[in-house]
DNA sequence: ATAATTCCTATTGACAATATAGGAATTAGG
DNA sequence: CCTAATTCCTATATTGTCAATAGGAATTAT
């Protein structure tokens, strides 16, 4: 029951960005240095975050990334879903076809996994990046 | 964010056992056959479940395993904790020493993981094997 | 033009989860 | 007592996914 480093890294990097409250692009190298996340790995993560619309990129000198200003209410759930390949605790929650045992209709444990999955997503969806960034600023000051 | 097969297998096997409501030992081979879990793998899982007191074993011919009759209220949380090596979504929830980043005190994302972990465990601890066994019996009839 | 940056994919490396194997210990029943 | 059935326990192999590295293409400010 582990959160992948992709999810952790994404959130730590974005929390840092949110705390800056900048409206000009932030250099990814600066973020990597400040957070200790491997640069090239962070590039991959930001690539996904941009494709999913959470980040906006600007290339070339003095380029960088910016939290999408059109989406002021990005949640942790948005972020984790963008970078994590599988957010469900068991594959059979994705669809009937993913059930590996052929007893989909009489499976009682799946209902339990569903409750867990719902509980997790409800926490994830209830926290915004903004609030994390604010808390981070608060703690550093 | 995956539940390991150890956790799933353990729960499926025990649900099956609970549904039988037997007070004589159940052969592990029967359970493996009925659930499709690899026999030798299930042996390992049951080994842990016995060590943690959830199961009672009887060796020799007509031996087998029995849900510990002294513990009528075993929860899913008990089971998962017995077989899963790591139930926490990030290691830094275990103790300060497990923090990998050296910013334990100002880490804001850890508080989020904590909320998720608590939400998960609260579901796990709120469901008994008995209730799963009953639901299973119900569905099969 | 050049240098700084993001973009994108491929590949490698490391590690934990999964599964298999084999024999030791125990015990019921003849 | 002997045998066969079972759990007990540890070691090892296998697999798969995650994590990380690498390298060059595309873009753009100066």
């Amino acid at each position: 029951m582990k959160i992948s480093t992709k999810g952790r890294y994404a959130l730590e990097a974005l929390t840092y960005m949110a705390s800056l409250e900048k409206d000009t692009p932030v250099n990814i190298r600066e973020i990597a240095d400040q957070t200790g996340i491997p640069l090239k790995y962070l590039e991959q993560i930001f690539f996904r975050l941009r494709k999913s619309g959470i980040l906006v990129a600007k290339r070339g000198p003095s380029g960088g990334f910016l939290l999408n200003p059109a989406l002021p209410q990005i949640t942790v759930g948005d972020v984790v879903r963008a970078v994590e390949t599988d957010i469900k605790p068991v594959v059979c929650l994705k669809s009937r076809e993913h059930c590996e045992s052929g007893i989909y209709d009489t499976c009682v444990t799946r209902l339990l996994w569903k409750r867990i999955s719902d509980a997790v997503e409800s926490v994830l969806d209830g926290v915004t990046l903004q609030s994390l960034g604010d808390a981070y600023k608060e703690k550093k000051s």
Side-chain angles (χ1 to χ4, degrees), chain A:
Chain A
M1 203 64 188
K2 280 269 168 284
I3 295 280
S4 74
T5 58
K6 275 211 184 72
R8 285 198 289 120
Y9 286 170
L11 212 55
E12 283 165 18
L14 295 183
T15 298
Y16 172 74
M17 289 180 73
S19 77
L20 295 180
E21 298 188 278
K22 283 184 63 178
D23 54 2
T24 53
V26 184
N27 189 310
I28 195 177
R29 179 164 288 128
E30 170 192 339
I31 301 170
D33 288 346
Q34 291 294 317
T35 57
I37 301 168
L39 173 63
K40 292 299 268 182
Y41 195 31
L42 190 59
E43 267 189 15
Q44 287 182 44
I45 293 169
F46 271 26
F47 179 52
R48 294 192 194 203
L49 290 171
R50 183 187 57 77
K51 276 199 300 181
S52 72
I54 291 171
L55 288 176
V56 173
K58 179 141 183 299
R59 296 211 251 184
S62 78
F65 292 90
L66 206 57
L67 286 167
N68 190 341
L71 303 173
Q73 288 294 90
I74 298 166
T75 68
V76 172
D78 297 330
V79 174
V80 171
R81 270 185 286 267
V83 300
E84 207 102 350
T85 47
D86 249 330
I87 193 176
K88 307 279 187 207
V90 291
V91 290
C92 60
L93 287 181
K94 295 206 274 189
S95 77
R96 171 183 292 265
E97 282 66 42
H98 284 88
C99 174
E100 291 153 345
S101 70
I103 54 157
Y104 190 86
D105 290 309
T106 55
C107 179
V108 296
T109 52
R110 190 183 65 256
L111 305 177
L112 177 71
W113 309 135
K114 172 91 169 82
R115 286 181 54 194
I116 290 173
S117 181
D118 289 346
V120 170
E121 301 207 28
S122 139
V123 174
L124 292 177
D125 291 335
V127 178
T128 64
L129 273 190
Q130 186 61 58
S131 72
L132 282 183
D134 291 347
Y136 181 72
K137 241 188 328 177
E138 180 70 23
K139 290 233 177 183
K140 287 202 73 173
S141 65

